[in-house]
Amino acid sequence: MNFRRGDNNTKQKARVFFLLFTLACLGLSLALAFTSRGAAAKEIPRPVRIGENRVPLLQWQEQFTLNINILSAMPSCKVVANKLEMTLYPEGDQALFSAEEQFLDQNLSVRQAGAEVFLTVELGNLPPFFSLRPTDRGYSIQWLEAGLKGKRIALDPGHGGTDPGAVGRHLGLLEKDVTLPIALKLRALLEKAGAEVFMTRTTDALLDPEHRQGRSVRPDLLLRRDSIDAYSPDFSISIHHNSWKTGDVQGLETYYNPGSLNGFLAKEAAVEIHRVLLDTLQRRDRGIKDKKDLVLQVKAPAVLAEILYISNKEEEALLAAPDFPEQAAKALFRGIAAYFQDPGGE
Ligand SMILES: [Zn+2]
């Protein structure tokens, strides 16, 4: 496979392969239609050796987009030494697969170790930024140029309306009244840098119109998660301010969900954002943590920033300062820019 832009040979290969792929799909549908009639089809299909060419595993469609037709398993991914490695079929979940050898070259290889199948992509010659997206038949890896220009970013200001979030003890500051101005200022900075921005809310209201004060916000969080997924962003960030039952706890925490589809990228983003928040705000480092919040269960790489403790007297005063939203938005912008390797961020 050739990853270079404007390569006609690749385009032609893609067309030929698309035809083969369509035929293979038809064949597979017929095969499945027959096998599903068997009464006890408990036998797990044996993985087919690469090159036997029954079901296309890899479909080269557009430049910088690799479609992977995975029949059963969710892939798990990690980046090691400039290589992306996906576990296509974890042990115990064997499935029929094959790949077109013509689509494998030094950039891409598939290897099998026992029942596990791995896809490895050399990232060296590709644009530096990529993400995984679900498709009808599996997943696609999409490579993007570095920089914020044209990137789709979701901003999720925590709480709102009938859900104030945490409430400061000394000034009575409401969490929802700090998260929104930060997100609005961050949107302006991102749009100025050429990004497209989606916000889960732009006013003092929840997404769930049925919510009543003191009731569960789970339906609202489900709506947030779904609205972020529907926008299909390249990156999503939720903004919150932390709280604890005692007033002494203070500092910065950044969360991501390692089990999400792009968890391995979310971690990279969390590291950049956390670093810049610490640099800018000069507060205690409470670390980067694994969390499974609903807004972190989205398909895009997603981070939740807990910016200072509203329950701490000193930090509540910082959060209440008129210039705080601007300062926090600039820090988040620099962190997101660093993640997208945009030189305008520093
Ligand atoms: Zn919150």
Side-chain angles (χ1 to χ4, degrees):
M1 186 189 307
N2 196 322
F3 289 94
R4 265 173 299 170
R5 202 190 304 247
D7 190 306
N8 287 330
N9 190 31
T10 302
K11 282 181 184 165
Q12 200 170 359
K13 273 184 185 175
R15 277 190 213 107
V16 170
F17 188 68
F18 183 72
L19 186 68
L20 288 171
F21 171 67
T22 311
L23 290 169
C25 285
L26 192 66
L28 176 67
S29 311
L30 286 170
L32 285 176
F34 280 107
T35 50
S36 62
R37 283 177 200 189
K42 279 185 182 170
E43 196 182 323
I44 301 166
R46 177 181 64 87
V48 175
R49 282 217 322 273
I50 294 163
E52 279 186 30
N53 197 16
R54 281 220 216 125
V55 183
L57 175 70
L58 309 169
Q59 182 199 359
W60 182 241
Q61 200 178 49
E62 288 167 30
Q63 283 167 11
F64 304 144
T65 302
L66 176 69
N67 286 327
I68 307 163
N69 303 307
I70 298 170
L71 299 179
S72 61
M74 275 288 282
S76 68
C77 310
K78 59 183 177 184
V79 177
V80 182
N82 208 31
K83 286 181 184 174
L84 167 69
E85 185 170 273
M86 297 176 74
T87 306
L88 299 182
Y89 300 110
E91 200 159 1
D93 191 12
Q94 299 182 25
L96 200 66
F97 83 96
S98 72
E100 288 277 336
E101 276 187 85
Q102 70 185 91
F103 292 92
L104 304 176
D105 72 354
Q106 73 274 16
N107 283 101
L108 194 75
S109 64
V110 177
R111 73 184 166 82
Q112 196 173 344
E116 288 187 292
V117 177
F118 300 95
L119 168 74
T120 303
V121 184
E122 294 266 5
L123 303 175
N125 301 325
L126 294 168
F129 189 81
F130 63 93
S131 64
L132 284 175
R133 287 165 195 265
T135 64
D136 291 347
R137 277 184 58 83
Y139 298 88
S140 72
I141 310 175
Q142 192 173 38
W143 277 271
L144 303 163
E145 297 293 348
L148 283 164
K149 197 163 185 292
K151 297 296 186 300
R152 295 162 65 83
I153 297 172
L155 304 183
D156 174 39
H159 314 281
T162 45
D163 168 28
V167 180
R169 289 178 205 153
H170 302 277
L171 305 171
L173 185 66
L174 305 181
E175 184 184 353
K176 67 168 185 173
D177 290 338
V178 191
T179 59
L180 183 59
I182 293 175
L184 289 169
K185 289 188 189 303
L186 179 56
R187 175 174 71 177
L189 292 170
L190 290 167
E191 284 180 346
K192 203 174 156 207
E196 275 179 44
V197 177
F198 165 77
M199 290 182 66
T200 54
R201 70 179 179 106
T202 54
T203 61
D204 182 19
L206 287 182
L207 279 74
D208 173 18
E210 308 289 308
H211 183 263
R212 297 292 170 263
Q213 192 137 19
R215 294 283 182 84
S216 167
V217 291
R218 188 177 161 80
D220 181 72
L221 292 171
L222 287 167
L223 290 169
R224 287 179 197 241
R225 182 198 65 187
D226 293 349
S227 69
I228 294 167
D229 273 343
Y231 180 67
S232 189
D234 297 306
F235 176 69
S236 172
I237 182 165
S238 297
I239 300 164
H240 287 256
H241 308 291
N242 229 328
S243 175
W244 188 243
K245 57 197 170 201
T246 56
D248 55 326
V249 182
Q250 54 181 291
L252 290 155
E253 287 173 32
T254 305
Y255 305 152
Y256 77 101
N257 176 6
S260 62
L261 180 62
N262 282 290
F264 62 114
L265 294 171
K267 184 181 183 178
E268 286 183 21
V271 167
E272 296 293 355
I273 287 163
H274 192 70
R275 175 181 62 82
V276 180
L277 283 170
L278 285 171
D279 264 12
T280 310
L281 301 175
Q282 297 285 317
R283 302 301 298 175
R284 191 171 295 173
D285 181 359
R286 295 183 50 83
I288 297 167
K289 297 177 180 176
D290 300 1
K291 289 265 178 168
K292 289 190 172 62
D293 296 51
L294 281 165
V295 289
L296 297 178
Q297 292 177 24
V298 293
K299 294 178 183 87
V303 164
L304 188 154
E306 289 278 8
I307 307 170
L308 311 187
Y309 273 73
I310 204 167
S311 49
N312 174 270
K313 186 177 180 181
E314 191 184 342
E315 294 199 339
E316 185 188 3
L318 288 172
L319 289 165
D323 64 342
F324 186 82
E326 182 86 45
Q327 196 187 8
K330 279 183 179 164
L332 292 174
F333 173 78
R334 284 174 53 211
I336 297 168
Y339 169 65
F340 284 106
Q341 300 176 27
D342 190 308
E346 293 297 331

